Amino acid sequence: GSVAWVEELTGPSGRRYTLAVTYPPGFPHERPKAFVVQPQIGVGPHVLADGSLCLFDDPWAVDLKCTALVVRNRAATWLLAYEVWQRTGGEWQAPDHSTGLRGSS
């Protein structure tokens, strides 16, 4: 079976997202992938064909230092950009990785 880190994040709008970070069979030679489980994102910018979030310049590059935490933090930043994209009607901004969403307690 596969291993996944599942977490609920709350965006600046107050909207809640369930994020799953999954480890592929080829880990650590393949990066973990992030999926928004709820609500379903559907079509949007920077979503790969398998539904995972595009979080890196080269999503298929081998990165042995890439952990679930790195992917989770980039996914939180992606969700912030997604909310801005929705509010601005299509303007995608890649925010600073030091800002983003807070985990819910």
Side-chain angles (χ1 to χ4, degrees):
S2 61
V3 177
W5 167 346
V6 179
E7 180 179 5
E8 185 176 273
L9 299 172
T10 304
S13 67
R15 188 175 194 189
R16 292 174 183 258
Y17 300 90
T18 303
L19 180 75
V21 177
T22 62
Y23 285 89
F27 182 80
H29 300 287
E30 291 178 59
R31 287 186 180 122
K33 292 185 172 192
F35 297 87
V36 176
V37 180
Q38 287 292 335
Q40 291 203 330
I41 296 294
V43 177
H46 304 281
V47 178
L48 300 175
D50 65 359
S52 66
L53 307 181
C54 184
L55 304 175
F56 299 92
D57 291 339
D58 180 355
W60 297 276
V62 173
D63 182 357
L64 298 179
K65 293 185 177 91
C66 187
T67 64
L69 185 59
V70 169
V71 172
R72 177 257 184 222
N73 289 343
R74 285 185 174 232
T77 302
W78 186 98
L79 287 168
L80 176 62
Y82 179 73
E83 286 203 352
V84 170
W85 174 76
Q86 285 188 313
R87 263 198 314 269
T88 61
E91 183 180 335
W92 187 267
Q93 298 180 3
D96 182 304
H97 284 296
S98 65
T99 61
L101 307 178
R102 63 186 187 279
S104 63
S105 335

